[in-house]
Amino acid sequence: MARAALGIISLARNDADLALAERLFDNLRNRILEGLWRHGEKLPGTRVIARDAGVSRWTAVVAIDMLIAEGLVEARKRSGTYVAWRGAGRREDASGGTAAEALKPNVPFALSVPALDLFPMHVWRRLQARRWRQMPTAALEDGHKEGWPALRQAIAEYATTVRNIQCTADQVIVVPSVEAAGRLVAQVLCRPGNLAWIEDPSTPNTRAVVQSAQLVPICVGVDGEGLDVEDGCRLAPLASLAVVTPSVHFPLGLRMSDARRRRLLEWAASAGSWIFEIDHTCEFPFGSPSSRPLASMPGAKRVVYFDTFGKMLFPSLRVAYLVVPRDTVPRFQDAVLSYDRPPSVPNQIILADFLMSGQFAKHLRRCREAYTERRETLLRSLRAQCADILSVDAEQHGLFVCAHLPRGVDDVTLARKLQEAGVVAEPLSASYVRSTEDSGLLLGFAGYRPELMRDSATKLAEALRSALSVRNRAVAG
């Protein structure tokens, strides 16, 4: 149930509409930041807010859209608007989240946390304030299902110049998430019940995306060169789709070899199948050249490319994109996804400004330097304190480290023990579908300053030794 919007400061009617919206936005924002509305709680409807504040409903809608653009609230289709901001330092939130969930944004070594401390908030606020002063009414409508035109153009230029993916704006489709992208790709290019290759190991999210798209996942092995195409051909030679992460495989951190990439493209062409390329964090190569996306290679006419700005900027932005093959553009334009709310258009407009002004490239340069230092800090700390327990391949890529444990160690139980000690680490074995003897911990480093990383590595080493000592005594007994 939504809480009544009582106590909102009454706003004078003789101010300009936008000034009223900005004041109402500030008022609502303060209530969220002060904890009066908590994470997961539903906000009152815009009619209730408008009546309580003494403004028009249009003013209330604009204020809510500004909250969405800030990432403080999220809109759920046919449900309402909910608080997305968690607050800091709480072990439990109002939505009933676990202590681990509350720890993840603030405590090493959580995955998928970018360097929020480096994000140029002052630049984003300036762009946001300028845009809201001249926001077109069309930005508040539900149209633009392929994305705001200026953002699509900016993405096409970025993909062409930086990723070498030759494309135009009409090939770019803006989506809120990889889940939405997967459902869209499946709807346009596959049929319910079709088979889809997925990497094993991979993220549980990948399996969920394929299943939610009404496809049947076929787990294909991964070796030192990436997805084992011959294994896939043996299991399901006529699968309709292959979901792959060639630039940075999760969770092993390896890159797909050029020979394996060519073989995958050959399979797709001969089988009449499609490749869904998920490209994460290839902007951060750590001393080696960036790998070439599949979508940029000769013969990549059956590759749909996906990337997200959430991993490069901030997760609550919820703006990602597809680059689709030119021949499929009309089919994607005709597709209608009624169950996925598109990203906030005001957010898209501000992001377009951020890209075209050069601020995005500047931010990436800062992140590259910081991530290199943070990665080296983590590797040095692990070598100094955990070399007899954890082994790490220095050639890994990505914004995480896959640290292998000795055979026979239960990494799931170990990760739970670490959580109790205040350290967040994901177990490697949980990424596999088929049985495996691989055991390890996945450690994110991007979101944490070096000094915090060193302190947390010490806690990690102490917790590891304590947990393994208990295990060894139990085995000996």
Side-chain angles (χ1 to χ4, degrees), residues 381-402:
S381 297
L382 293 179
R383 285 194 292 264
Q385 303 188 55
C386 308
D388 58 330
I389 303 175
L390 298 174
S391 62
V392 179
D393 181 0
E395 298 302 316
Q396 291 180 14
H397 302 276
L399 299 182
F400 62 93
V401 165
C402 178

Side-chain angles (χ1 to χ4, degrees), residues 108-119:
F109 298 94
L111 302 171
S112 301
V113 180
L116 300 180
D117 58 310
L118 299 180
F119 182 71

Side-chain angles (χ1 to χ4, degrees), residues 82-370:
Y82 294 78
V83 177
W85 186 79
R86 284 186 181 271
R90 286 185 300 188
R91 302 273 302 182
E92 186 171 328
D93 59 50
S95 64
T98 64
E101 290 171 340
L103 277 170
K104 283 187 178 182
N106 305 308
V107 178
F109 298 94
L111 302 171
S112 301
V113 180
L116 300 180
D117 58 310
L118 299 180
F119 182 71
M121 189 70 76
H122 63 289
V123 174
W124 190 269
R125 284 174 176 158
R126 185 174 69 246
L127 294 173
Q128 185 178 36
R130 187 185 71 190
R131 272 300 177 180
W132 274 108
R133 284 194 293 271
Q134 49 188 265
M135 187 67 68
T137 304
L140 305 180
E141 298 172 353
D142 281 336
H144 317 290
K145 67 184 182 71
E146 289 98 19
W148 187 254
L151 178 59
R152 296 172 71 196
Q153 180 61 43
I155 291 173
E157 293 175 5
Y158 174 77
T160 299
T161 57
V162 178
R163 302 288 176 81
N164 200 29
I165 301 173
Q166 303 302 312
C167 64
T168 53
D170 62 331
Q171 292 175 256
V172 175
I173 311 292
V174 179
V175 292
S177 63
V178 68
E179 293 87 352
R183 285 193 289 265
L184 179 59
V185 169
Q187 177 181 316
V188 173
L189 302 178
C190 306
R191 294 180 180 177
N194 281 176
L195 305 182
W197 292 359
I198 64 170
E199 297 163 327
D200 189 27
S202 65
T203 67
N205 193 38
T206 300
R207 300 191 289 273
V209 167
V210 169
Q211 291 170 332
S212 70
Q214 300 183 333
L215 303 178
V216 179
I218 302 297
C219 295
V220 179
V222 174
D223 59 23
E225 294 189 73
L227 181 82
D228 187 345
V229 179
E230 302 311 320
D231 186 38
C233 290
R234 179 179 58 81
L235 294 169
L238 298 179
S240 296
L241 187 69
V243 183
V244 296
T245 55
S247 293
V248 178
H249 175 269
F250 183 92
L252 300 180
L254 53 84
R255 287 177 175 173
M256 186 181 289
S257 69
D258 288 342
R260 194 63 62 80
R261 291 167 187 251
R262 290 191 293 269
R263 179 68 184 97
L264 182 60
L265 292 173
E266 290 170 1
W267 164 78
S270 62
S273 304
W274 298 93
I275 299 170
F276 182 30
E277 177 181 10
I278 301 176
D279 195 2
H280 288 332
T281 62
C282 78
E283 291 83 3
F284 311 111
F286 301 119
S288 59
S290 296
S291 60
R292 187 178 184 183
L294 274 174
S296 71
M297 296 180 66
K301 295 181 179 180
R302 305 190 70 83
V303 179
V304 178
Y305 179 87
F306 170 86
D307 197 8
T308 174
F309 289 102
K311 290 185 182 296
M312 294 180 276
L313 300 178
F314 54 94
S316 63
L317 181 62
R318 289 187 60 78
V319 177
Y321 65 93
L322 293 170
V323 178
V324 305
R326 185 168 301 283
D327 292 346
T328 67
V329 167
R331 295 160 67 181
F332 276 92
Q333 289 176 338
D334 291 341
V336 176
L337 280 176
S338 59
Y339 44 82
D340 282 305
R341 183 181 177 90
S344 159
V345 174
N347 257 3
Q348 293 186 50
I349 294 173
I350 297 162
L351 177 57
D353 291 344
F354 195 72
L355 286 166
M356 292 186 291
S357 66
Q359 292 294 334
F360 180 68
K362 182 178 179 181
H363 177 61
L364 287 186
R365 285 194 297 271
R366 290 185 67 202
C367 286
R368 285 191 192 100
E369 295 177 4

